[in-house]
Amino acid sequence: MTVKRSSAAGVCWTLLMGCVFAAHAVTFEVTDGNSTCIKADLNASFSITYNTTNGTSAARFALPSAAAEGNGSSCGGAGVPPELLVSFGAGHALTLLFSRDRRLYRVANISLQYNLSDTSTFPQSSSTVLMTVMTNATEISARLNSTYRCVSSSTVSLSAEVNLTFSDVRMEAYMSGANLSTDESVCSADQTVTTAAPTQSPRTTTAPSPVPPPAPERGNYTLTNRNGTACLLALMGLQLNITHRSKSLNQMVSEVVNLQPNRTTASGSCGFTVATLVLTEDLTNLTFTFTLNSTTQKYYLSAVNVSAFWPDMTDRFVEGNGSLNFLQCSVGRSYMCSAEQTLSIVPSFSINTFRLQLQPFNVTASRFSAVEECRVDQENMLIPIIVGVALAGLVLIVLIAYLIGRKRTHAGYQTI
Ligand SMILES: *[C@@H]1O[C@H](CO)[C@@H](O)[C@H](O)[C@H]1NC(C)=O
Ligand SMILES: *[C@@H]1O[C@H](CO)[C@@H](O)[C@H](O)[C@H]1NC(C)=O
Ligand SMILES: *[C@@H]1O[C@H](CO)[C@@H](O)[C@H](O)[C@H]1NC(C)=O
Ligand SMILES: *[C@@H]1O[C@H](CO)[C@@H](O)[C@H](O)[C@H]1NC(C)=O
Ligand SMILES: *[C@@H]1O[C@H](CO)[C@@H](O)[C@H](O)[C@H]1NC(C)=O
Ligand SMILES: *[C@@H]1O[C@H](CO)[C@@H](O)[C@H](O)[C@H]1NC(C)=O
Ligand SMILES: *[C@@H]1O[C@H](CO)[C@@H](O)[C@H](O)[C@H]1NC(C)=O
Ligand SMILES: *[C@@H]1O[C@H](CO)[C@@H](O)[C@H](O)[C@H]1NC(C)=O
Ligand SMILES: *[C@@H]1O[C@H](CO)[C@@H](O)[C@H](O)[C@H]1NC(C)=O
Ligand SMILES: *[C@@H]1O[C@H](CO)[C@@H](O)[C@H](O)[C@H]1NC(C)=O
Ligand SMILES: *[C@@H]1O[C@H](CO)[C@@H](O)[C@H](O)[C@H]1NC(C)=O
Ligand SMILES: *[C@@H]1O[C@H](CO)[C@@H](O)[C@H](O)[C@H]1NC(C)=O
C-alpha cells in the first residue's frame, strides 16, 4: 500500500487559466499493489478554537500542499473499510473512512487529530495534548464507479471546537480503474449555482443531500390559455445527463443533474398541432415541442432543445434535435410512463424521465384524459399477469394429476 500525493499548484503556474478552483487542491492516491482504490483531489481548511493561557483563540489553516504521506491509508478488504489518512504539519492527521453498499459508496467517518503542542499552529495554547475529533454524519456519497464532485464548499462540524470545510473535491473510492471515472456524482450544492451560504445550525453539515442523483422530484408543469383554462399538462421528474468538458478536470465528463421543480418555471404555447413547453431553471433552459399528426391522430415529442451553463462547464452547452419521435400517444389521451425512460436527444445529451404523465393537446376541464401507457409500464403490468396465469395453470395441472391419480387408486381397490 502506498500513498502518493501531488499538488495542483505547480500545474497551475503553467496553466494559469482555469486554476481559480484548483489553487490549493492536493491530490492523494491510495494503492494496493498496483491497483488504485482511492483517489482524492481536495481542498480542506480547518477552523479550530483552543484554550490559550489567557482565553481562547481560533486557528484557521488550510491543508498544506506539502501534506506528508499518510501511513495509515489502506485499501481495506475482508471487512476492513478503505481509508485515506493524510498527515500534515507537526503531528496532525485527517482521516476519511469509506463504506459502500451495492449502489453507493460514502465517506462514513471523518476524523481529525490535531496536536496542540504545535505552537506555530496553536500559539499560546494552554494544553499540549493530541486531540482527536470525529463525525460519522457526513453527506459525502456517490454512485459506485462514479467520481464524487463538489466544487462548492461544505462545512462539517467535527466537534464544537472544530469545523472542517471542503471545497473543490473530486474523489472516488472503490475504484475499478486507475483513473477517476468520467461519470460524476455531483453534490447538490453544485447543482444550483445560487449556492446557499452555509448558514445552517452549527452541528448539521451544510453538506449536500445524497449526491447520486436520487430520482428527481416530480414537477407539475401546466400551461394555460388566455382565458385561464389549462391547455398543456405535464407531471414528471426530469434528470438531465450532459456530456461536456469539465472546467476543473479539463476532460469530458457526464454530469447528471435533476431539474428541481421548485426552482423551475414553465412557459410556452399551446396550438392545434404544435405545442411547446419551456422549462426554465437557474442555469438551464429546456424546450419541448409536441406535434400532432392529424393523419394518424397521434401526437409525439418532436423536438427538444437545451441551453445550460453549469458551474463546471467551460462553455454554455447548447444542443437540440428537431426530428424526434418520442412519447407517442393517441390524440385525446394522456401519455403515461411511470417507469424510468431515457430520451436520447443527441449523443451528448439525454433526459431520464420519471413518473411521467403529460397531455399537450385537447385538455378538457384542466384534467388528464384517459391514459395510454408506455410499453415498459405495460410490460411491468404484464409480468404479474403472466406469473398469475402460470401459477393458475400449475395449480390446475396438479389438481388434474391428483384427481386422475385418485381415480386410478380407486380403480385399483375395486379390482381387488
Ligand atoms: C501488477 O503487478 C504485477 C507484478 O507486480 C504484474 O504482473 C501485473 O501485470 C501488474 N498489473 C497491472 C495491471 O499493471
Ligand atoms: C477550555 O477551557 C474551558 C474552561 O476554562 C474548559 O471548559 C474547556 O474544556 C477547555 N477546552 C479545551 C478544548 O480544553
Ligand atoms: C493573550 O496574551 C497575549 C500576549 O500575552 C496577547 O497578545 C493576546 O492579545 C492576549 N489575548 C487575549 C484574548 O487577551
Ligand atoms: C456514529 O454516530 C452515531 C450517532 O451519532 C453513534 O451512535 C455511533 O456510535 C457512531 N459510530 C461511529 C463508528 O462513530
Ligand atoms: C463497477 O465497475 C466494475 C468494473 O468495471 C464492475 O465489475 C462493477 O459491477 C461496477 N459496479 C457498479 C455498481 O456499476
Ligand atoms: C463552526 O461552524 C458553525 C456554523 O457555521 C459556527 O457557528 C461555529 O462558530 C464554527 N466553529 C468554529 C470553531 O469555527
Ligand atoms: C398541478 O397543479 C394544478 C394547479 O397548478 C393543480 O390543480 C393540480 O391538482 C396539480 N396536480 C398534482 C398532481 O399535484
Ligand atoms: C376558452 O375556453 C374554451 C373552453 O375551454 C375554449 O373553447 C376556447 O377556445 C378558449 N378560448 C381561447 C381564446 O383560448
Ligand atoms: C449519462 O450519459 C452517459 C453517456 O451517454 C452514460 O454513460 C451514463 O450512464 C448516463 N448516466 C445516467 C445516470 O443516465
Ligand atoms: C423547495 O422544496 C423544498 C423541499 O422540497 C422546500 O423545503 C422549499 O420550501 C421549497 N422552496 C420553494 C421556494 O418552494
Ligand atoms: C403523419 O404521419 C404520416 C404517417 O406516418 C406521415 O406520412 C405524414 O408525413 C405525417 N404528417 C406530418 C405532418 O408529419
Ligand atoms: C435561458 O433563457 C433566458 C431567456 O432567454 C436567458 O436569459 C438565459 O441566459 C438562458 N439560460 C441559459 C442557461 O441558457
Side-chain angles (χ1 to χ4, degrees):
M1 188 283 314
T2 55
V3 176
K4 296 179 205 152
R5 59 143 279 283
S6 63
S7 165
V11 183
C12 279
W13 281 112
T14 55
L15 283 176
L16 275 172
M17 270 168 53
C19 280
V20 186
F21 291 123
H24 304 291
V26 191
T27 304
F28 301 95
E29 188 177 340
V30 182
T31 56
D32 191 358
N34 49 9
S35 75
T36 302
C37 60
I38 304 173
K39 217 169 196 177
D41 196 348
L42 51 87
N43 190 335
S45 61
F46 305 89
S47 169
I48 302 178
T49 55
Y50 62 100
N51 288 344
T52 56
T53 42
N54 58 356
T56 63
S57 208
R60 287 177 221 285
F61 54 96
L63 184 66
S65 50
E69 294 184 5
N71 237 352
S73 292
S74 99
C75 284
V80 181
E83 178 174 336
L84 168 65
L85 188 148
V86 176
S87 58
F88 59 97
H92 315 301
L94 174 67
T95 306
L96 305 185
L97 201 64
F98 293 85
S99 72
R100 62 166 284 180
D101 57 27
R102 274 188 315 118
R103 222 167 59 80
L104 310 176
Y105 67 90
R106 54 176 57 85
V107 174
N109 183 287
I110 301 176
S111 67
L112 176 70
Q113 197 180 61
Y114 58 101
N115 185 356
L116 287 172
S117 68
D118 172 10
T119 52
S120 63
T121 309
F122 303 105
Q124 261 125 26
S125 170
S126 57
S127 164
T128 56
V129 300
L130 198 59
M131 302 285 291
T132 301
V133 289
M134 66 164 71
T135 180
N136 57 17
T138 87
E139 304 274 344
I140 301 176
S141 67
R143 276 170 285 119
L144 281 169
N145 295 344
S146 81
T147 300
Y148 172 83
R149 191 261 269 169
C150 202
V151 176
S152 314
S153 56
S154 77
T155 300
V156 184
S157 236
L158 297 179
S159 76
E161 288 82 32
V162 179
N163 283 351
L164 166 57
T165 302
F166 285 116
S167 61
D168 196 18
V169 177
R170 234 166 239 294
M171 69 178 164
E172 185 171 358
Y174 301 97
M175 295 173 74
S176 55
N179 294 315
L180 289 177
S181 298
T182 51
D183 191 15
E184 292 194 326
S185 291
V186 179
C187 68
S188 62
D190 277 10
Q191 297 189 6
T192 58
V193 148
T194 42
T195 309
T199 49
Q200 281 150 357
S201 61
R203 275 302 177 115
T204 57
T205 57
T206 44
S209 56
V211 170
E217 239 178 274
R218 198 183 196 199
N220 179 352
Y221 309 112
T222 303
L223 296 187
T224 50
N225 266 332
R226 266 207 200 107
N227 63 7
T229 56
C231 59
L232 182 153
L233 303 174
L235 287 174
M236 55 193 175
L238 297 177
Q239 194 170 70
L240 311 184
N241 184 347
I242 295 183
T243 305
H244 64 88
R245 181 162 288 279
S246 152
K247 192 157 64 179
S248 43
L249 268 189
N250 196 28
Q251 69 179 28
M252 300 307 283
V253 297
S254 292
E255 197 171 345
V256 180
V257 168
N258 289 344
L259 202 68
Q260 301 185 330
N262 233 350
R263 321 171 66 98
T264 303
T265 55
S267 58
S269 64
C270 298
F272 289 109
T273 56
V274 177
T276 57
L277 172 65
V278 182
L279 298 180
T280 309
E281 210 196 29
D282 311 323
L283 308 167
T284 312
N285 289 340
L286 196 58
T287 306
F288 295 94
T289 305
F290 299 94
T291 301
L292 192 154
N293 183 329
S294 39
T295 319
T296 58
Q297 286 292 297
K298 301 244 180 205
Y299 65 83
Y300 55 96
L301 177 63
S302 58
V304 172
N305 289 288
V306 68
S307 164
F309 206 0
W310 296 346
D312 196 34
M313 286 181 172
T314 37
D315 289 302
R316 183 182 299 270
F317 180 89
V318 180
E319 279 291 355
N321 186 340
S323 53
L324 303 174
N325 188 357
F326 291 135
L327 318 180
Q328 207 182 89
C329 182
S330 306
V331 70
R333 302 256 178 143
S334 65
Y335 178 89
M336 180 147 120
C337 202
S338 305
E340 179 181 349
Q341 235 182 339
T342 299
L343 313 177
S344 298
I345 312 302
V346 291
S348 56
F349 172 49
S350 62
I351 304 178
N352 300 325
T353 68
F354 297 76
R355 298 199 292 142
L356 174 142
Q357 183 173 16
L358 61 82
Q359 186 170 353
F361 300 103
N362 300 49
V363 173
T364 51
S366 302
R367 279 212 303 268
F368 282 113
S369 305
V371 163
E372 203 165 288
E373 266 186 293
C374 61
R375 188 177 299 167
V376 193
D377 280 7
Q378 286 173 4
E379 279 164 5
N380 284 351
M381 292 257 284
L382 219 57
I383 290 167
I385 294 175
I386 291 170
V387 170
V389 168
L391 277 179
L394 204 66
V395 167
L396 209 67
I397 288 167
V398 169
L399 201 70
I400 290 169
Y402 168 75
L403 287 177
I404 290 173
R406 220 169 72 127
K407 216 166 192 173
R408 282 247 175 93
T409 33
H410 255 285
Y413 279 125
Q414 277 170 355
T415 52
I416 285 177

